Amino acid sequence: MNKELRVIVSGGGTGGHIFPAVSIANAIVALRPDAKILFVGAEGRMEMQRVPAAGYEIKGLPIRGLYRPLWKPANIGVAIDFLRSKWMARKIIKQFQPQVAVGVGGYASSATLDAAYGMGIPCLVQEQNSYAGLTNKRLAQKARKFCVAYEGMERFFPADKILLTGNPVRQSLLDTKVTREEALRSLGLDVQKKTVLIVGGSLGARTINESVLQHLNDIEQSGMQFIWQTGKYYSAQIATELKQKGQPQNLVVTDFITDMGVAYKAADLVISRAGAGSISEFCLLGKPVILVPSPNVAEDHQTKNAMALVDRKAALFVSDAEAPQKLIRLAIGTVKDEAELQSLSQNVLKMALPNSAEIIAKEVIKLANQ
């Protein structure tokens, strides 16, 4: 066996960056049990809790995102913090002595991979979206390999460095062994009824929540059942509104779903934002989905993610602006159309790229050995 493998993994800010990063780390350790992995994240962001919970050490940098528009005076402070973070990243790299650095996007990834490149350490970037983020675009000429989830990424990265791998997803979703009936019973639901799962990401989504609140009567009269994850941020306000308006008996409300594998298994149709990680999950699980892209993301990349599926008839699309009027009625109509559900499921499965984490891990090890 080669000498001890040492890898830095950097990035975060959202679950969409953290889940793939942890999945890649797990896959590296599965292939090389001797591997030592150190994460580098941004202070105060969710990776500082999620990564240690997954069993890995993490160092934090005082890095922040740029304010829009870019000429805002506050960006002077952001630039100073970036330089501080890059200096700290160099110090971390010098102490840890990795053979390779992996970036998954997010604030910390930029400073860490910049520092690693400057110190002659080979870098690999994992880009989850169909439209590359600012951090990863900055690294286009610096990284040795770009592992991507969508075709056509030559717009952003050198073609000879691109590998189409797909996005790593939470292994627990793929390992869920319960049947649809068992999943429904565990959630206290009727196994005879069609089920719609409504999720807005780990923090919830205001527009999707408003869409539900405006159509409680449609839900009540639909003859089906709904699981609604509101997000912790909105849960108190929604509980108050439901108390006033009346909660339909066929609507199960929760602020957070701990076992998404069971929730997906129970669902005949999912309503979701169009984050890259979620889309990869729908592809691998063959889940019919209505995508409502968030308008509050850089370069509107969620719409681009969604359209990659919609163009292949692998998902349905509702814009954020139209959701309050259209979303729930489209969901009810779709679930009643068995042929449409089957078609969506078959088409989204065709877009699945399995074993992504293992493929990326092998590329990381290959770079380290070089």
Side-chain angles (χ1 to χ4, degrees):
M1 184 170 282
N2 298 331
K3 66 179 181 179
E4 181 184 74
L5 176 63
R6 303 178 79 84
V7 181
I8 274 186
V9 180
S10 186
T14 66
H17 291 314
I18 298 164
F19 291 136
V22 171
S23 295
I24 293 166
N26 290 342
I28 292 168
V29 172
L31 291 169
R32 286 285 298 268
D34 66 309
K36 296 288 184 291
I37 296 175
L38 177 66
F39 279 74
V40 179
E43 290 173 356
R45 306 291 289 188
M46 68 167 70
E47 60 264 27
M48 301 308 292
Q49 284 77 47
R50 296 281 180 88
V51 168
Y56 296 100
E57 182 185 358
I58 186 166
K59 304 279 188 184
L61 304 177
I63 196 163
R64 297 179 284 148
L66 289 164
Y67 294 96
R68 309 293 171 118
L70 295 177
W71 57 83
K72 276 193 173 183
N75 281 325
I76 296 170
V78 173
I80 291 168
D81 281 345
F82 176 80
L83 294 173
R84 280 179 63 215
S85 295
K86 191 170 170 182
W87 176 81
M88 289 172 66
R90 286 180 63 85
K91 195 173 173 184
I92 290 166
I93 290 166
K94 202 171 283 188
Q95 289 171 344
F96 186 67
Q97 296 191 323
Q99 292 111 332
V100 61
V102 178
V104 297
Y107 307 141
S109 184
S110 180
T112 305
L113 266 67
D114 250 13
Y117 173 78
M119 297 168 77
I121 293 162
C123 300
L124 178 146
V125 166
Q126 199 261 326
E127 173 56 63
Q128 293 101 35
N129 294 293
S130 61
Y131 193 93
L134 185 62
T135 293
N136 287 348
K137 282 193 284 189
R138 281 189 66 254
L139 297 165
Q141 300 307 318
K142 298 178 180 179
R144 299 263 189 97
K145 186 69 70 174
F146 292 87
C147 295
V148 302
Y150 294 90
E151 294 173 350
M153 298 302 284
E154 298 83 4
R155 293 174 293 162
F156 309 107
F157 311 125
D160 60 337
K161 295 181 178 182
I162 293 174
L163 183 65
L164 184 64
T165 61
N167 285 323
V169 302
R170 293 170 280 186
Q171 191 60 39
S172 59
L173 298 179
L174 305 179
D175 293 342
T176 301
K177 296 290 190 282
V178 297
T179 64
R180 176 180 178 274
E181 289 73 19
E182 288 168 342
L184 286 164
R185 286 197 186 97
S186 73
L187 295 166
L189 296 170
D190 187 338
V191 298
Q192 302 299 327
K193 288 185 176 178
K194 293 284 190 182
T195 305
V196 178
L197 171 64
I198 305 167
V199 287
S202 55
L203 299 176
R206 182 177 55 82
T207 304
I208 292 177
N209 289 342
E210 285 177 356
S211 303
V212 177
L213 288 170
Q214 290 181 29
H215 291 273
L216 293 173
N217 286 337
D218 290 315
I219 288 170
E220 191 165 31
Q221 295 164 20
S222 66
M224 55 194 66
Q225 55 201 359
F226 292 75
I227 307 165
W228 179 20
Q229 178 188 283
T230 63
K232 291 183 188 294
Y233 182 80
Y234 300 99
S235 60
Q237 171 213 331
I238 286 168
T240 301
E241 290 205 44
L242 287 174
K243 196 171 285 186
Q244 292 168 353
K245 296 179 178 180
Q247 181 177 330
Q249 288 192 337
N250 59 338
L251 177 64
V252 174
V253 184
T254 179
D255 63 348
F256 183 73
I257 296 171
T258 51
D259 193 336
M260 282 302 297
V262 168
Y264 281 147
K265 188 70 79 168
D268 296 286
L269 176 72
V270 182
I271 292 171
S272 172
R273 288 304 202 191
S278 297
I279 285 178
S280 295
E281 292 170 0
F282 304 140
C283 292
L284 287 164
L285 298 172
K287 278 290 148 189
V289 61
I290 301 175
L291 296 170
V292 187
S294 170
N296 306 313
V297 293
E299 290 145 330
D300 198 25
H301 70 249
Q302 284 204 6
T303 296
K304 297 174 177 76
N305 291 347
M307 294 314 295
L309 271 68
V310 172
D311 289 345
R312 292 171 174 81
K313 295 182 169 52
L316 301 178
F317 173 93
V318 175
S319 72
D320 191 78
E322 293 180 322
Q325 288 75 43
K326 294 184 175 180
L327 181 59
I328 296 303
R329 286 175 182 163
L330 175 62
I332 292 168
T334 303
V335 170
K336 289 178 178 175
D337 187 341
E338 190 60 42
E340 173 81 333
L341 288 178
Q342 288 292 329
S343 175
L344 288 168
S345 179
Q346 289 165 8
N347 290 340
V348 81
L349 269 173
K350 289 174 188 171
M351 297 188 68
L353 293 166
N355 306 318
S356 299
E358 184 181 347
I359 294 166
I360 295 167
K362 286 178 178 175
E363 289 298 314
V364 172
I365 293 167
K366 200 185 294 182
L367 279 181
N369 289 336
Q370 289 173 10

